[in-house]
Amino acid sequence: MTFPSLLALERRHVELVKARLGWPSRATEGASEPRRTALVVPFPPPVGGIASLAQWLYDRLRDRRDLHFVPLVAKKTGRLRRQVANFGRLLRAIRLTWPGGNVVFFSSAFFSFYEKIVWALTVRLSGRTPKIIMVDGNFPKWWEGRSSLLHKLVRVVVKHSKVVIVCQSQSWAEYYRTILEPCRIELIGATARETFFELGRDRAARGGTPQRMEITESPTSATAVPEPLRLLYVGWLIPEKGIDDLFEAARLLHASGQDIQFDLVGPAFDKMSTWEHKREAFGLTDKILLHGKIEDPSRLMQFYACLLYTSDAADDSLRV
């Protein structure tokens, strides 16, 4: 199969997924009048992360007359094919935006950041304003490991592309201002996607009522329940996500006499052995379950009576 035919096959796949999610088709996009802003985003699957946030935004903002949503291709596509196809999506977003308008996209660290810097320069050359929403809490650690030459090169591109860095809190704004000066900074806020919890409410309506407990300052005041209190965490299993705090909370609850089960879902990278040793040291091998990465929402819903969000970030951080 030739490379152009592979891209054509991928475009058909994208159109099928967009139709299932209620997103505008390629033909509808092409017939649309240019608007002030285009948001270039991935879409579900997978569950969670920026894809779910993008769907949440689309559900609420689809009727705005000044905004286009331009979806990216699925990550399961090969990297080279995906990068070429997504650059084509970026060009489409530019065509759908007024001269002087905004083209907005998300970036994490690693290759994603390099790609988005190139995108920013492309958008600027078209006469639009690039805006990059930074969403990776590990970005500082990754950036520190890059060479000073790369730092200088990125700053030059940022300066000439006049990119706007969009971040989640004042502390993040100060950080990006320090490493990418000169650049414009804007703040953004968001919250959890409410529809994620609909399956849980449906399950409760069928008789699977989530268990509830009350905890005051003293852990011994936890209200006992006949079955284990089940809590679910979904995300990266790294210290920056507050996993140490979850282990400590589990230890305190267990010590208070509360029967618990913590289900931790997500990639641990090189930290899995760390969490396994800590779980054993706390005597919670059968209470804290490490499942690895799971993307099927129906499987996730089997795990929890309470969904727990934890983060060391500021209250106005971007929550997905």
Side-chain angles (χ1 to χ4, degrees), residues 176-207:
Y176 286 114
R177 188 174 289 111
T178 298
I179 68 168
L180 297 177
E181 190 70 30
C183 68
R184 289 173 53 197
I185 302 288
E186 293 182 1
L187 297 180
I188 190 173
T191 186
R193 183 184 172 200
E194 296 173 3
T195 54
F196 179 85
F197 301 95
E198 290 299 331
L199 285 175
R201 284 194 280 265
D202 290 344
R203 188 184 69 167
R206 293 194 300 270

Short mmCIF file of all heavy atoms in Angstrom, two decimals, residues 176-207:
data_model
loop_
_atom_site.label_atom_id
_atom_site.label_comp_id
_atom_site.label_asym_id
_atom_site.label_seq_id
_atom_site.Cartn_x
_atom_site.Cartn_y
_atom_site.Cartn_z
N TYR A 176 7.27 29.53 32.76
CA TYR A 176 7.45 29.63 31.31
C TYR A 176 7.99 31.00 30.90
O TYR A 176 8.75 31.10 29.93
CB TYR A 176 6.13 29.33 30.60
CG TYR A 176 5.79 27.86 30.60
CD1 TYR A 176 4.68 27.39 31.30
CD2 TYR A 176 6.59 26.94 29.94
CE1 TYR A 176 4.37 26.04 31.32
CE2 TYR A 176 6.28 25.59 29.96
CZ TYR A 176 5.18 25.15 30.66
OH TYR A 176 4.89 23.82 30.68
N ARG A 177 7.63 32.02 31.64
CA ARG A 177 8.18 33.35 31.34
C ARG A 177 9.69 33.36 31.56
O ARG A 177 10.44 34.00 30.82
CB ARG A 177 7.50 34.40 32.21
CG ARG A 177 7.88 35.84 31.84
CD ARG A 177 7.08 36.85 32.63
NE ARG A 177 5.68 36.89 32.22
CZ ARG A 177 4.66 36.46 32.96
NH1 ARG A 177 4.91 35.95 34.18
NH2 ARG A 177 3.43 36.52 32.53
N THR A 178 10.14 32.62 32.55
CA THR A 178 11.57 32.57 32.86
C THR A 178 12.36 31.83 31.78
O THR A 178 13.43 32.29 31.35
CB THR A 178 11.80 31.87 34.21
OG1 THR A 178 11.16 32.62 35.23
CG2 THR A 178 13.28 31.76 34.52
N ILE A 179 11.85 30.69 31.31
CA ILE A 179 12.64 29.87 30.39
C ILE A 179 12.44 30.25 28.93
O ILE A 179 13.30 29.93 28.09
CB ILE A 179 12.33 28.38 30.58
CG1 ILE A 179 10.90 28.06 30.14
CG2 ILE A 179 12.57 27.94 32.01
CD1 ILE A 179 10.63 26.57 30.02
N LEU A 180 11.33 30.93 28.59
CA LEU A 180 11.03 31.23 27.19
C LEU A 180 10.97 32.73 26.89
O LEU A 180 10.44 33.13 25.87
CB LEU A 180 9.71 30.57 26.78
CG LEU A 180 9.67 29.04 26.84
CD1 LEU A 180 8.29 28.52 26.47
CD2 LEU A 180 10.74 28.43 25.93
N GLU A 181 11.47 33.54 27.79
CA GLU A 181 11.46 34.98 27.58
C GLU A 181 12.23 35.32 26.29
O GLU A 181 13.31 34.78 26.05
CB GLU A 181 12.14 35.66 28.78
CG GLU A 181 12.00 37.16 28.81
CD GLU A 181 10.56 37.57 29.14
OE1 GLU A 181 9.87 36.84 29.85
OE2 GLU A 181 10.16 38.63 28.63
N PRO A 182 11.68 36.21 25.40
CA PRO A 182 10.41 36.91 25.59
C PRO A 182 9.25 36.11 24.97
O PRO A 182 9.36 35.57 23.89
CB PRO A 182 10.63 38.19 24.81
CG PRO A 182 11.53 37.79 23.68
CD PRO A 182 12.42 36.69 24.23
N CYS A 183 8.16 36.03 25.69
CA CYS A 183 6.96 35.42 25.13
C CYS A 183 5.76 35.96 25.88
O CYS A 183 5.86 36.42 27.02
CB CYS A 183 7.00 33.89 25.24
SG CYS A 183 6.92 33.27 26.92
N ARG A 184 4.60 35.91 25.22
CA ARG A 184 3.36 36.31 25.87
C ARG A 184 2.80 35.13 26.64
O ARG A 184 2.88 33.99 26.21
CB ARG A 184 2.35 36.78 24.83
CG ARG A 184 2.68 38.12 24.18
CD ARG A 184 1.73 38.42 23.04
NE ARG A 184 0.32 38.31 23.46
CZ ARG A 184 -0.69 38.20 22.59
NH1 ARG A 184 -0.45 38.16 21.29
NH2 ARG A 184 -1.94 38.13 23.04
N ILE A 185 2.22 35.42 27.80
CA ILE A 185 1.65 34.39 28.65
C ILE A 185 0.18 34.67 28.89
O ILE A 185 -0.21 35.80 29.15
CB ILE A 185 2.37 34.33 30.02
CG1 ILE A 185 3.87 34.06 29.84
CG2 ILE A 185 1.73 33.28 30.92
CD1 ILE A 185 4.20 32.67 29.40
N GLU A 186 -0.64 33.63 28.79
CA GLU A 186 -2.04 33.72 29.16
C GLU A 186 -2.38 32.57 30.09
O GLU A 186 -1.76 31.50 30.03
CB GLU A 186 -2.96 33.68 27.92
CG GLU A 186 -2.82 34.89 27.02
CD GLU A 186 -3.77 34.84 25.83
OE1 GLU A 186 -4.54 33.86 25.74
OE2 GLU A 186 -3.72 35.76 24.99
N LEU A 187 -3.36 32.76 30.97
CA LEU A 187 -3.80 31.73 31.91
C LEU A 187 -5.12 31.13 31.44
O LEU A 187 -5.94 31.81 30.83
CB LEU A 187 -3.96 32.31 33.32
CG LEU A 187 -2.70 32.84 33.99
CD1 LEU A 187 -3.03 33.38 35.37
CD2 LEU A 187 -1.65 31.75 34.10
N ILE A 188 -5.31 29.86 31.75
CA ILE A 188 -6.54 29.17 31.40
C ILE A 188 -6.96 28.30 32.58
O ILE A 188 -6.12 27.81 33.33
CB ILE A 188 -6.36 28.30 30.13
CG1 ILE A 188 -7.70 27.79 29.62
CG2 ILE A 188 -5.39 27.16 30.38
CD1 ILE A 188 -7.61 27.08 28.29
N GLY A 189 -8.26 28.11 32.75
CA GLY A 189 -8.77 27.24 33.79
C GLY A 189 -9.77 26.28 33.22
O GLY A 189 -10.42 26.55 32.21
N ALA A 190 -9.89 25.10 33.83
CA ALA A 190 -10.87 24.11 33.39
C ALA A 190 -11.20 23.22 34.58
O ALA A 190 -10.70 23.42 35.68
CB ALA A 190 -10.32 23.28 32.22
N THR A 191 -12.02 22.22 34.34
CA THR A 191 -12.39 21.31 35.43
C THR A 191 -12.59 19.92 34.86
O THR A 191 -12.30 19.68 33.69
CB THR A 191 -13.67 21.82 36.12
OG1 THR A 191 -13.92 20.99 37.26
CG2 THR A 191 -14.87 21.80 35.19
N ALA A 192 -13.07 19.00 35.66
CA ALA A 192 -13.28 17.64 35.19
C ALA A 192 -14.44 17.59 34.20
O ALA A 192 -15.36 18.40 34.26
CB ALA A 192 -13.59 16.71 36.37
N ARG A 193 -14.36 16.65 33.27
CA ARG A 193 -15.44 16.46 32.31
C ARG A 193 -16.59 15.75 33.01
O ARG A 193 -16.52 14.57 33.35
CB ARG A 193 -14.93 15.63 31.13
CG ARG A 193 -15.99 15.45 30.04
CD ARG A 193 -15.49 14.55 28.95
NE ARG A 193 -16.56 14.23 28.03
CZ ARG A 193 -16.55 13.19 27.21
NH1 ARG A 193 -15.56 12.37 27.20
NH2 ARG A 193 -17.57 12.96 26.41
N GLU A 194 -17.69 16.47 33.22
CA GLU A 194 -18.79 15.95 34.04
C GLU A 194 -19.40 14.68 33.46
O GLU A 194 -19.81 13.78 34.21
CB GLU A 194 -19.87 17.03 34.18
CG GLU A 194 -19.38 18.27 34.94
CD GLU A 194 -20.42 19.37 34.92
OE1 GLU A 194 -21.51 19.13 34.37
OE2 GLU A 194 -20.14 20.46 35.44
N THR A 195 -19.47 14.57 32.14
CA THR A 195 -20.13 13.42 31.55
C THR A 195 -19.37 12.13 31.81
O THR A 195 -19.92 11.05 31.63
CB THR A 195 -20.29 13.61 30.03
OG1 THR A 195 -19.00 13.91 29.46
CG2 THR A 195 -21.25 14.74 29.72
N PHE A 196 -18.09 12.23 32.23
CA PHE A 196 -17.35 11.01 32.57
C PHE A 196 -18.04 10.24 33.68
O PHE A 196 -17.96 9.02 33.76
CB PHE A 196 -15.93 11.37 33.00
CG PHE A 196 -15.09 10.18 33.39
CD1 PHE A 196 -14.41 9.47 32.43
CD2 PHE A 196 -14.99 9.78 34.71
CE1 PHE A 196 -13.64 8.36 32.77
CE2 PHE A 196 -14.22 8.68 35.07
CZ PHE A 196 -13.55 7.97 34.09
N PHE A 197 -18.75 10.98 34.56
CA PHE A 197 -19.36 10.35 35.72
C PHE A 197 -20.75 9.79 35.43
O PHE A 197 -21.37 9.19 36.30
CB PHE A 197 -19.45 11.35 36.88
CG PHE A 197 -18.10 11.88 37.28
CD1 PHE A 197 -17.64 13.07 36.77
CD2 PHE A 197 -17.31 11.17 38.18
CE1 PHE A 197 -16.38 13.55 37.13
CE2 PHE A 197 -16.07 11.65 38.55
CZ PHE A 197 -15.59 12.84 38.02
N GLU A 198 -21.27 9.99 34.22
CA GLU A 198 -22.63 9.54 33.93
C GLU A 198 -22.78 8.03 34.07
O GLU A 198 -23.78 7.53 34.57
CB GLU A 198 -23.04 9.97 32.51
CG GLU A 198 -23.23 11.47 32.35
CD GLU A 198 -24.34 12.00 33.25
OE1 GLU A 198 -25.28 11.24 33.55
OE2 GLU A 198 -24.27 13.17 33.64
N LEU A 199 -21.75 7.27 33.61
CA LEU A 199 -21.84 5.82 33.74
C LEU A 199 -21.92 5.41 35.20
O LEU A 199 -22.63 4.48 35.55
CB LEU A 199 -20.61 5.17 33.08
CG LEU A 199 -20.62 5.15 31.55
CD1 LEU A 199 -19.30 4.59 31.04
CD2 LEU A 199 -21.77 4.32 31.02
N GLY A 200 -21.20 6.12 36.06
CA GLY A 200 -21.26 5.82 37.49
C GLY A 200 -22.63 6.10 38.06
O GLY A 200 -23.15 5.32 38.85
N ARG A 201 -23.25 7.21 37.63
CA ARG A 201 -24.60 7.52 38.10
C ARG A 201 -25.60 6.49 37.58
O ARG A 201 -26.53 6.09 38.27
CB ARG A 201 -24.98 8.93 37.69
CG ARG A 201 -24.31 10.00 38.56
CD ARG A 201 -24.96 11.34 38.34
NE ARG A 201 -24.48 11.98 37.13
CZ ARG A 201 -23.48 12.86 37.12
NH1 ARG A 201 -22.84 13.15 38.22
NH2 ARG A 201 -23.11 13.43 36.00
N ASP A 202 -25.40 6.05 36.33
CA ASP A 202 -26.28 5.02 35.78
C ASP A 202 -26.16 3.73 36.59
O ASP A 202 -27.14 3.07 36.89
CB ASP A 202 -25.93 4.75 34.32
CG ASP A 202 -26.30 5.92 33.42
OD1 ASP A 202 -27.09 6.76 33.88
OD2 ASP A 202 -25.82 5.97 32.29
N ARG A 203 -24.93 3.39 36.95
CA ARG A 203 -24.73 2.18 37.74
C ARG A 203 -25.40 2.30 39.10
O ARG A 203 -26.02 1.35 39.59
CB ARG A 203 -23.23 1.92 37.92
CG ARG A 203 -22.94 0.58 38.57
CD ARG A 203 -21.47 0.39 38.84
NE ARG A 203 -21.00 1.28 39.87
CZ ARG A 203 -19.82 1.16 40.47
NH1 ARG A 203 -19.01 0.19 40.12
NH2 ARG A 203 -19.45 2.01 41.41
N ALA A 204 -25.31 3.47 39.71
CA ALA A 204 -25.95 3.68 41.01
C ALA A 204 -27.46 3.54 40.89
O ALA A 204 -28.12 2.98 41.77
CB ALA A 204 -25.58 5.06 41.55
N ALA A 205 -28.04 4.04 39.78
CA ALA A 205 -29.48 3.96 39.58
C ALA A 205 -29.96 2.51 39.45
O ALA A 205 -31.10 2.19 39.77
CB ALA A 205 -29.88 4.76 38.34
N ARG A 206 -29.03 1.63 39.02
CA ARG A 206 -29.39 0.23 38.86
C ARG A 206 -29.18 -0.57 40.15
O ARG A 206 -29.30 -1.79 40.16
CB ARG A 206 -28.56 -0.40 37.74
CG ARG A 206 -28.89 0.15 36.36
CD ARG A 206 -28.29 -0.75 35.28
NE ARG A 206 -26.85 -0.84 35.39
CZ ARG A 206 -26.01 -0.02 34.77
NH1 ARG A 206 -26.47 0.95 34.01
NH2 ARG A 206 -24.70 -0.19 34.90
N GLY A 207 -28.84 0.14 41.24
CA GLY A 207 -28.70 -0.56 42.50
C GLY A 207 -27.29 -0.62 43.03
O GLY A 207 -27.06 -1.06 44.15
#
